[in-house]
Amino acid sequence: MREFLQRSLLYAALITILSLACTLLLGLTAALICALILLGFWLFFHLWHVARLTAWLHHPSSRHIPEGYGSWSGIFMALYRQSRKQDESRKRLASALERFTSAGEAMPDGVIVLNGHDRIDWMNPMAVEHFALERERDVGSQLLNLIRHPAFHSYMAAGSFSQPLTMVTGHARERVLSIQLVPFDLSHKMLLSRDITSLERVQTVHRDFVANVSHELRTPLTVVGGFIETLSDMEEVDHATLKHFLPMMMEQSRRMQRLVEDLLVLSRLENEPKAIEFDKVDMNMLLDTLLVEAEGLSHGRHQITLAQRSPDWLWGNTQELHSAFGNLVSNAVRYTPEGGSITLAWQTDADGARFSVSDTGIGIPREHIPRLTERFYRVDRGRSRSSGGTGLGLAIVKHVVARHRARLEVHSLPEQGSTFSVNFGREHIATATD
């Protein structure tokens, strides 16, 4: 501005000096004509630059700043520098907005930006999935018209958003969402949604687990406590009474011990790293051990046989496989009526290896098979407790099978028997000389 004024005053002074010189040399009339010509030229010079500036202002661009002369050169250079700064600032803002949008798009939580009238300005893909929305169709729509859950409407109407809302949606599959509204300026809000379905399931399993353990321990503790209280109230305890009470107390104590041992095994399997070191397992030796254990549990009530023996060994963890296979064998003994048969088999072929336990027991209805490996799940609770099971055996089998990258198969028909098979890939087969 100072440079422009200085140059303008300098040009005015030059015009004045030239007009005075013309007055002295050519007379007053000639001097006035000369002054008017100089002033007209000066006015045209400024109007021409003003016109160029006006044209540029209609389509401003840092790449097409007009060139100026004289005092206008500084003005156009200042405009060029300012325009370049604005372009750089605009690029930085666009880049920041793009990064923010990309971050919002990649977030694992749902994000919906609402305007002052609770209409959708923007949403990310996870919000589309959580609420079954469509971006092109629903942007600009009223949110309450799209999410019709009564609990959500009450949450919005309450106007208190300090705590999240837990809401169950039923789009395609049941999903549990944690939703919270966050005001971020005078009128706009962000709706944040998080899928907590897995967390809710874990908490449900945890609650069921605690309830089941408490229930499983309560019965033997009550029985043992009742016997002890009865014996304490008796002034004299004869041998016949002790002989009647003590075996039952021992049986209940063993039941609690088996439950605690199974819980410890299950906890170790769940908390240890998924990857385990394999060694060579002599399956024929393990089969002989399982056969002896089965006969010990059966006490001669069943016919137990080894139908097939493959000479191949198995890459795996001996202790875990013994625990898993032992649970399958003990279940077959428990749920097979007296006089039934139980068959163990170990076979290999081009597809891999298979350990199986077949029985002629009570069988399992088809609808129960998918849930057999859940902790404490029982088809017949009364029969399971009377047989001495803890309800954790097949849960242990499931974890061992998963850690060995194997597959558990169950084939069963009510009153006809069951076959539990653990299938291993070809890579698990070993030989004694490997």
Side-chain angles (χ1 to χ4, degrees):
M1 185 67 180
R2 180 183 299 177
E3 181 182 359
F4 182 81
L5 290 175
Q6 288 176 348
R7 285 178 178 269
S8 298
L9 290 175
L10 177 62
Y11 291 151
L14 287 175
I15 291 174
T16 303
I17 292 171
L18 289 173
S19 298
L20 292 173
C22 287
T23 301
L24 295 175
L25 295 174
L26 303 174
L28 182 60
T29 302
L32 288 175
I33 295 173
C34 181
L36 288 173
I37 293 173
L38 290 174
L39 287 174
F41 176 79
W42 189 33
L43 179 61
F44 174 79
F45 173 81
H46 284 296
L47 290 176
W48 181 70
H49 280 89
V50 169
R52 300 189 68 192
L53 175 60
T54 303
W56 178 84
L57 289 175
H58 282 90
H59 303 284
S61 172
S62 59
R63 296 181 180 181
H64 302 94
I65 296 286
E67 293 184 4
Y69 302 96
S71 57
W72 284 93
S73 175
I75 294 175
F76 286 138
M77 285 300 299
L79 283 175
Y80 175 75
R81 288 191 296 268
Q82 188 65 29
S83 180
R84 286 292 301 270
K85 288 181 180 180
Q86 289 180 352
D87 285 347
E88 291 174 0
S89 178
R90 191 180 298 110
K91 289 178 181 178
R92 286 195 300 269
L93 289 174
S95 177
L97 180 60
E98 184 177 354
R99 289 196 302 272
F100 173 79
T101 304
S102 298
E105 297 276 348
M107 283 185 65
D109 297 337
V111 180
I112 299 178
V113 178
L114 304 175
N115 63 19
H117 301 288
D118 291 337
R119 294 183 178 275
I120 298 175
D121 281 347
W122 180 84
M123 68 181 92
N124 71 347
M126 194 55 66
V128 171
E129 180 181 339
H130 285 173
F131 300 106
L133 303 175
E134 292 185 17
R135 298 183 90 171
E136 295 183 0
R137 181 194 68 189
D138 294 331
V139 168
S141 300
Q142 174 64 242
L143 182 65
L144 292 176
N145 293 336
L146 301 175
I147 304 176
R148 299 181 178 275
H149 200 286
F152 180 73
H153 281 241
S154 299
Y155 179 73
M156 293 287 289
S160 177
F161 310 124
S162 59
Q163 296 298 322
L165 167 70
T166 300
M167 188 175 79
V168 179
T169 63
H171 305 293
R173 63 182 179 88
E174 186 173 282
R175 189 195 301 266
V176 183
L177 298 177
S178 176
I179 298 171
Q180 188 161 17
L181 208 63
V182 181
F184 64 90
D185 63 17
L186 294 178
S187 59
H188 286 72
K189 309 180 190 74
M190 275 195 305
L191 181 69
L192 306 177
S193 60
R194 173 171 295 177
D195 189 341
I196 59 171
T197 307
S198 298
L199 178 61
E200 284 291 311
R201 285 183 185 147
V202 169
Q203 292 177 345
T204 300
V205 169
H206 180 264
R207 288 193 296 267
D208 292 344
F209 177 73
V210 172
N212 283 322
V213 169
S214 302
H215 183 73
E216 294 294 330
L217 288 173
R218 183 183 296 116
T219 300
L221 283 172
T222 301
V223 172
V224 172
F227 287 152
I228 293 175
E229 185 178 355
T230 300
L231 293 174
S232 299
D233 291 339
M234 297 175 64
E235 294 183 0
E236 294 184 3
V237 182
D238 55 41
H239 180 71
T241 302
L242 287 176
K243 192 173 181 180
H244 176 69
F245 281 173
L246 290 179
M248 291 189 286
M249 295 171 65
M250 182 65 69
E251 175 60 29
Q252 297 300 325
S253 298
R254 287 174 179 165
R255 179 178 170 185
M256 287 188 287
Q257 183 179 1
R258 287 194 299 269
L259 178 61
V260 171
E261 289 174 352
D262 282 352
L263 285 171
L264 291 174
V265 170
L266 193 58
S267 176
R268 178 177 59 80
L269 291 173
E270 290 178 336
N271 294 315
E272 281 186 353
K274 297 295 183 184
I276 57 176
E277 293 186 2
F278 290 165
D279 52 15
K280 286 195 301 180
V281 180
D282 186 345
M283 287 299 298
N284 284 294
M285 182 180 294
L286 181 55
L287 284 172
D288 291 334
T289 302
L290 294 171
L291 180 61
V292 171
E293 292 176 351
E295 291 173 343
L297 287 171
S298 175
H299 300 293
R301 294 180 295 110
H302 308 93
Q303 181 183 358
I304 304 174
T305 58
L306 287 174
Q308 291 176 301
R309 282 179 180 265
S310 170
D312 292 317
W313 291 31
L314 183 70
W315 288 106
N317 183 285
T318 304
Q319 181 181 356
E320 292 187 5
L321 290 174
H322 186 187
S323 176
F325 296 164
N327 273 298
L328 295 179
V329 171
S330 64
N331 280 349
V333 173
R334 288 192 181 97
Y335 298 111
T336 301
E338 186 173 351
S341 62
I342 298 169
T343 304
L344 311 184
W346 166 245
Q347 51 190 323
T348 58
D349 54 30
D351 296 327
R354 170 183 292 186
F355 170 82
S356 62
V357 180
S358 301
D359 62 59
T360 58
I362 60 176
I364 305 165
R366 179 178 297 179
E367 64 269 17
H368 293 284
I369 291 178
R371 300 189 60 189
L372 287 177
T373 56
E374 294 180 14
R375 291 178 291 188
F376 296 111
Y377 185 81
R378 291 186 172 94
V379 177
D380 186 335
R381 291 185 175 273
R383 180 175 289 180
S384 298
R385 291 198 182 91
S386 64
S387 66
T390 62
L392 298 173
L394 289 178
I396 293 173
V397 173
K398 178 186 71 172
H399 282 282
V400 172
V401 168
R403 285 162 63 84
H404 283 76
R405 298 185 293 277
R407 187 177 74 257
L408 177 66
E409 290 183 355
V410 182
H411 299 282
S412 184
L413 290 174
E415 307 304 329
Q416 296 185 32
S418 306
T419 298
F420 286 77
S421 304
V422 181
N423 299 299
F424 299 89
R426 185 70 189 172
E427 68 278 4
H428 284 81
I429 300 177
T431 61
T433 58
D434 284 346

